[in-house]
Amino acid sequence: MKKLTLLLVLAATTLLFSCKSGNDQGQLTGVQANKKFFPEKPFGMVLIPGGSFTMGKEDEDVAGSFSAPPRTVTVRPYYMDETEITNSEYREFVFRVRDSILRTKLAILAEEASIGGSAPDEQQKGDMSGIDKYRFKEADSTENAYYKYMMDNYGSLGDVNSQTEGRYLNWDVELIWDQNEFPDQYYAEAMDSMYLPVDESVSLRRQMDTRKLKYTYVTLDNGAAAKGRGSLKDYLKKDVIQIYPDTAVWVKDFNYSYNDPMHQDYFWHQAYDAYPVVGVSWKQAKAFCNFRTEKRNNYLAGKKKSSGREPRFRLPTEAEWEYAARGGLEYAKYPWGGPYTTTDKGCFLANFKPERGNYAADGALYTVEAKSYNANDYGLYNMSGNVSEWTNTAYNPSSYYLGSTINPNVEDNLNKRKVIRGGSWKDVAYFLEVGTRDYEYADSARSYVGFRTVQDYMGTKMKAKK
């Protein structure tokens, strides 16, 4: 028996070292990738090369806050949106959540009706010509044995973010929004659940209940998991976020002011498609980042010879925001340099509150299109003015004194104050300075606060020394 065992071991060892591994001639060459990796710049973003800069107030601190003393900080390379996220881009998020909720309702209702479950009494079981096409889309087990195995053994694909337990929604069939063209009462029942109650309707066309547009996602607290012990399940965080922007901010932010047209039209009318979205809280901005990440990675997962994952989209840290805003200019007061907010011909360089409240002097009353004025040297528009921008950093007035100088950031879930940067259309020039710090509470939404996203760069791309 011992002899047989020894022969098996020798045979296995011989097989292991006799296996061909290309033309490496038995040398250690590392695992070879299927193809050479080339970083791909995300659509609508620009590459911000990593480097060091002097962060904080190099000039006078007019407010006397002493919360931003100058210090040398280094950041890694990343991509950043060239403009603030626009109404049109955020509406894509809203539509996707809305459609996902409705398609899930239709799929469940079709499934219940097919087995004689709860459905309108006026239609008989099996008579589902209008709703049957919205059923869950099952994978072909002959082509996807893994799907069949997971569904048979676990009932899902193991995705904690899946609201349908891993089952596929049928996105191939278009939704019908015209109430006069609903195919049957099953469909009408599903749509009815999306509307405001009848006694709250003020027109013949019932309005969508935007409170039901909730985005649910689960994230892993990597920092806590790295430092802690136990199962990763202990560090999963589930968020359920109402993602529709608060359009009423145009009224609530200003007393004794007529802003009804902005309240009614700003987010929805196509005239404002290219304007920055506002009325979005810090939590909603974070949810948008998750949506954008999942959209991209789901697309990559469906491509052959693809890793299926890219770095996530996220809010910039305070240091990343300031580094990008400076555009490579050392000791600059504004993204364009400074020290003035106008050109030598008297043209304003940003959308803010100039000349003691003459809002229209800079060519705008409220916000302007996200791609307005001149971009800074990194190709970023409106890093000062138009709308202030959420960052990922919690506001701590002492963080500049205590924080790291390498990719500094303060992530504190208990601290509800989050840093906003850049100043807005309603702010004086002081808040446009790249070194000025300000904050809002994470659950608040304002008519003058928007955001833009960043994505980590894979590799090293540092700013060349001059």
Side-chain angles (χ1 to χ4, degrees):
M1 186 66 183
K2 291 182 178 179
K3 184 177 180 180
L4 178 60
T5 303
L6 179 60
L7 288 174
L8 289 174
V9 171
L10 290 174
T13 305
T14 303
L15 180 63
L16 175 64
F17 287 101
S18 65
C19 288
K20 294 182 179 180
S21 55
N23 299 319
D24 61 10
Q25 299 180 2
Q27 302 295 331
L28 181 65
T29 60
V31 177
Q32 302 300 310
N34 293 329
K35 61 180 180 178
K36 188 175 179 59
F37 171 74
F38 294 98
E40 182 179 353
K41 182 174 72 69
F43 179 76
M45 287 186 148
V46 297
L47 176 60
I48 309 299
S52 297
F53 73 109
T54 303
M55 182 179 181
K57 287 284 189 183
E58 307 94 346
D59 205 348
E60 57 184 346
D61 187 358
V62 176
S65 62
F66 302 108
S67 64
R71 61 175 184 154
T72 301
V73 164
T74 304
V75 298
R76 53 172 287 118
Y78 52 97
Y79 296 105
M80 176 177 266
D81 289 323
E82 62 178 354
T83 70
E84 301 123 344
I85 295 299
T86 64
N87 283 321
S88 176
E89 291 169 331
Y90 195 85
R91 278 207 303 271
E92 181 181 341
F93 178 35
V94 172
F95 286 171
R96 185 69 178 188
V97 172
R98 177 201 65 183
D99 293 357
S100 296
I101 294 173
L102 179 56
R103 288 183 186 277
T104 302
K105 290 177 180 291
L106 289 170
I108 293 174
L109 193 57
E111 191 173 72
E112 290 178 346
S114 67
I115 59 175
S118 58
D121 295 334
E122 290 81 356
Q123 295 203 353
Q124 299 296 319
K125 172 186 171 183
D127 181 16
M128 302 175 301
S129 57
I131 199 175
D132 190 55
K133 55 188 176 182
Y134 295 101
R135 286 173 175 273
F136 287 114
K137 193 174 183 180
E138 300 293 340
D140 187 348
S141 60
T142 60
E143 297 181 2
N144 195 336
Y146 176 74
Y147 177 88
K148 177 174 175 53
Y149 171 82
M150 292 295 291
M151 295 304 294
D152 289 345
N153 289 273
Y154 298 101
S156 76
L157 296 179
D159 183 1
V160 292
N161 274 310
S162 174
Q163 301 304 300
T164 60
E165 296 184 335
R167 304 177 72 180
Y168 302 141
L169 293 176
N170 187 357
W171 290 90
D172 298 331
V173 183
E174 292 187 4
L175 294 172
I176 301 171
W177 297 102
D178 189 338
Q179 297 167 354
N180 297 317
E181 297 181 3
F182 288 173
D184 54 30
Q185 292 191 38
Y186 288 97
Y187 196 95
E189 178 183 345
M191 286 296 297
D192 180 62
S193 67
M194 301 290 291
Y195 293 138
L196 287 170
V198 175
D199 56 4
E200 294 182 24
S201 299
V202 293
S203 64
L204 291 177
R205 299 188 65 84
R206 294 173 63 189
Q207 295 181 339
M208 187 73 61
D209 187 350
T210 57
R211 296 168 297 186
K212 294 183 177 180
L213 302 183
K214 296 180 180 180
Y215 183 71
T216 302
Y217 67 106
V218 179
T219 54
L220 173 65
D221 188 341
N222 291 299
K227 297 176 182 178
R229 296 180 179 179
S231 172
L232 286 180
K233 186 169 61 175
D234 299 332
Y235 304 100
L236 293 178
K237 179 185 177 185
K238 182 178 181 179
D239 287 292
V240 181
I241 307 296
Q242 290 186 6
I243 53 91
Y244 195 84
D246 185 359
T247 58
V249 292
W250 291 104
V251 176
K252 294 188 293 186
D253 284 347
F254 310 99
N255 293 323
Y256 308 110
S257 177
Y258 177 68
N259 293 308
D260 286 11
M262 301 297 284
H263 166 48
Q264 298 291 338
D265 301 324
Y266 184 77
F267 180 62
W268 271 107
H269 199 284
Q270 63 184 18
Y272 296 103
D273 277 356
Y275 285 61
V277 66
V278 297
V280 175
S281 69
W282 183 80
K283 295 179 179 179
Q284 289 173 319
K286 296 269 284 187
F288 176 89
C289 292
N290 182 269
F291 154 75
R292 188 174 183 182
T293 300
E294 291 302 309
K295 179 184 178 183
R296 176 60 178 168
N297 287 330
N298 286 340
Y299 167 78
L300 292 175
K303 294 186 65 178
K304 293 182 178 180
K305 297 182 180 180
S306 171
S307 62
R309 300 297 295 178
E310 278 189 359
R312 63 189 176 93
F313 293 94
R314 57 181 176 80
L315 294 178
T317 66
E318 183 180 15
E320 288 172 338
W321 189 96
E322 184 171 329
Y323 178 74
R326 291 178 180 276
L329 300 177
E330 296 290 344
Y331 310 112
K333 190 173 186 178
Y334 301 106
W336 53 85
Y340 305 111
T341 56
T342 60
T343 65
D344 55 358
K345 295 182 179 180
C347 298
F348 283 96
L349 294 166
N351 176 21
F352 66 112
K353 179 182 178 181
E355 299 180 1
R356 302 194 177 203
N358 185 358
Y359 287 98
D362 55 19
L365 180 57
Y366 300 103
T367 58
V368 292
E369 292 183 345
K371 189 176 285 189
S372 300
Y373 301 97
N374 294 325
N376 71 1
D377 287 350
Y378 282 152
L380 302 171
Y381 291 86
N382 285 313
M383 290 301 284
S384 284
N386 211 25
V387 292
S388 298
E389 299 174 12
W390 289 113
T391 72
N392 191 55
T393 304
Y395 179 78
N396 185 325
S398 302
S399 60
Y400 279 33
Y401 297 93
L402 305 174
S404 171
T405 58
I406 301 178
N407 288 322
N409 186 38
V410 178
E411 285 200 75
D412 183 359
N413 292 328
L414 298 179
N415 185 348
K416 304 304 180 184
R417 297 187 297 178
K418 307 300 179 182
V419 174
I420 59 173
R421 286 301 205 102
S424 72
W425 60 269
K426 75 160 198 64
D427 290 318
V428 295
Y430 169 76
F431 291 98
L432 271 61
E433 297 177 16
V434 290
T436 298
R437 307 182 74 195
D438 199 2
Y439 68 87
E440 285 284 351
Y441 286 90
D443 58 354
S444 65
R446 300 295 184 188
S447 60
Y448 46 84
V449 178
F451 69 101
R452 70 180 80 204
T453 67
V454 299
Q455 185 188 68
D456 292 321
Y457 177 83
M458 301 286 282
T460 300
K461 189 75 173 179
M462 305 303 287
K463 182 173 64 175
K465 293 184 178 180
K466 296 180 180 180

